[in-house]
Amino acid sequence: MGLRRTVQFAGGSVALVGGVVALALPAPYISESPGPIFNTTADVQHDENGEETEPIIEVDGAETYPTEGTLALTTVYVNGAPTSTLFVPDAVRGWFSPTVDLTPHELVYPSGTTAEEVRERNTAAMTSSQDLAFAAALDQQGIEFGVELFVEGFTPEAEEAGVGEQLQPGDRVLAADGEQITGIEGLRGAVNEAAGEPVRLTVLRGDEEIGIDVPTYQEADGDYYMGTLMGTDFDFPVEGELRLSENVGGPSAGLMFALGIIDTMSEDSLTGGESWAGTGTVDPDGTVGPIGGIPQKIVGARDAGAEHFLAPRENCDELNGRLVSGLDVYGVETVDEAVEVLEAVRDDDQDFLRQSEPCGR
């Protein structure tokens, strides 16, 4: 039938060929769709045959206990350059799918970004999130540890904005606008509050404590930045190891890692056997920060069997009109609040849950 139509409508055949070529072209978008979830309190396979397992979370130097239920971190499948190719048909399907979001490529990755750079950033962010999760868990358990945030380098945008003229690699950030800083989320919040104006940082340079006004700038995503690459030094009194597939990257596993560690170190189960999933970054002081792909993550959690979901409070507005049936979503701002929600659901504390502000509508 297709061949006869091509013969009978020669003009249409040219358009058809042009259409086929267009369908084979990459689309200038990044797509996000629901990904798998990983229970942080379960075991992870670590050989090709899947015959041996190790716990995802392992704590050495503190009392640990068996866990029940699930505290799963959630993921998003990301498709598009530079790590993969999103073709036009994929983009068209995404436009009509309620569980897929499309974002213009240039709003996500600056021109010239390579796949290797993206992988390195995601790996570094995952490693950092694990350290921050361990710190947040110890803080929630009342176990003291040492932490310092320091300058590692600068982005090209920061150099253009003159940030490198103020800060130096090795500077240790103590405070922002007079408020003590213990982690990335606290610093990010101070920069966004500055809204394009310089942010006043107190840093330790060598043995001298100095104040510096650091310029900030706005990017296409609407957030403000000072373009500083930061590192964190921790001195933990107990040791821990977090294991997860190398294909999973980014900073958003922090909250669920922290809760998994807390559950592992708590005699009483946090979940009471309930199935939980969630997402969010964490700071050492337990602050829960926003992440990307929240609509896709709640779908992935529901489809994997989770009954309850923990989301950063700052992401809740993104779920307006996009909540899914069969999944209760709770917005939280701190690890302490997340623990309270877990315990309230476990204990069926309806008074507490009624007072909780709903996440999404």
Side-chain angles (χ1 to χ4, degrees):
M1 181 181 295
L3 178 60
R4 284 197 297 270
R5 180 170 296 175
T6 302
V7 172
Q8 293 170 4
F9 301 99
S13 69
V14 175
L16 177 61
V17 172
V20 170
V21 172
L23 292 176
L25 294 175
Y29 294 95
I30 299 292
S31 74
E32 293 180 319
S33 57
I37 72 174
F38 299 87
N39 180 20
T40 62
T41 56
D43 289 341
V44 61
Q45 294 180 349
H46 69 96
D47 69 358
E48 294 180 357
N49 300 321
E51 295 177 352
E52 299 179 22
T53 60
E54 290 178 327
I56 290 180
I57 294 173
E58 190 168 19
V59 177
D60 186 20
E63 193 73 33
T64 60
Y65 303 89
T67 61
E68 57 182 348
T70 63
L71 287 166
L73 63 90
T74 49
T75 66
V76 172
Y77 284 123
V78 179
N79 189 17
T83 58
S84 58
T85 302
L86 181 73
F87 292 103
V88 170
D90 301 319
V92 172
R93 284 192 293 269
W95 280 118
F96 292 98
S97 172
T99 64
V100 175
D101 282 349
L102 294 173
T103 305
H105 177 273
E106 65 271 15
L107 296 183
V108 181
Y109 299 116
S111 177
T113 301
T114 66
E116 183 61 27
E117 287 174 337
V118 173
R119 283 190 287 268
E120 288 178 355
R121 291 174 191 172
N122 285 339
T123 299
M126 172 58 77
T127 301
S128 175
S129 76
Q130 294 175 356
D131 289 338
L132 295 171
F134 201 71
L138 295 185
D139 180 73
Q140 197 277 335
Q141 293 285 291
I143 300 174
E144 295 185 357
F145 57 90
V147 56
E148 288 185 326
L149 196 65
F150 63 92
V151 177
E152 287 190 322
F154 309 98
T155 65
E157 293 82 2
E159 295 287 6
E160 292 179 7
V163 175
E165 299 174 5
Q166 303 293 327
L167 290 174
Q168 296 179 8
D171 284 350
R172 308 229 162 218
V173 180
L174 307 178
D177 290 332
E179 296 292 329
Q180 183 181 4
I181 295 296
T182 61
I184 296 296
E185 283 303 323
L187 183 58
R188 182 179 292 119
V191 171
N192 272 312
E193 287 180 10
E197 297 296 321
V199 59
R200 182 73 172 178
L201 297 185
T202 303
V203 304
L204 185 65
R205 181 175 296 166
D207 297 327
E208 183 182 4
E209 188 173 309
I210 58 177
I212 300 174
D213 291 320
V214 181
T216 63
Y217 58 91
Q218 190 176 29
E219 289 196 348
D221 61 5
D223 284 340
Y224 293 89
Y225 296 86
M226 62 180 190
T228 307
L229 307 177
M230 306 299 298
T232 309
D233 280 339
F234 292 103
D235 183 13
F236 295 130
V238 298
E239 296 182 0
E241 185 173 358
L242 303 178
R243 305 178 181 91
L244 198 62
S245 168
E246 62 182 17
N247 294 325
V248 180
S252 64
L255 172 61
M256 301 313 292
F257 270 139
L259 293 174
I261 295 166
I262 294 168
D263 200 17
T264 300
M265 297 175 65
S266 300
E267 186 172 1
D268 294 331
S269 168
L270 288 183
T271 69
E274 298 280 344
S275 296
W276 284 86
T279 187
T281 65
V282 289
D283 261 6
D285 64 1
T287 301
V288 176
I291 48 77
I294 187 73
Q296 288 72 39
K297 289 179 177 180
I298 65 170
V299 173
R302 189 274 312 274
D303 291 349
E307 300 170 310
H308 316 283
F309 194 95
L310 290 167
R313 171 62 62 189
E314 290 187 49
N315 285 121
C316 282
D317 287 347
E318 298 175 44
L319 294 176
N320 291 342
R322 301 192 69 172
L323 293 174
V324 295
S325 61
L327 187 72
D328 297 322
V329 182
Y330 303 88
V332 296
E333 296 180 351
T334 66
V335 171
D336 281 339
E337 186 179 358
V339 170
E340 290 177 349
V341 171
L342 288 168
E343 293 176 338
V345 171
R346 178 197 66 191
D347 300 335
D348 195 25
D349 186 347
Q350 293 300 317
D351 289 338
F352 178 90
L353 296 176
R354 275 193 293 269
Q355 295 173 8
S356 300
E357 183 180 347
C359 187
R361 290 183 290 275

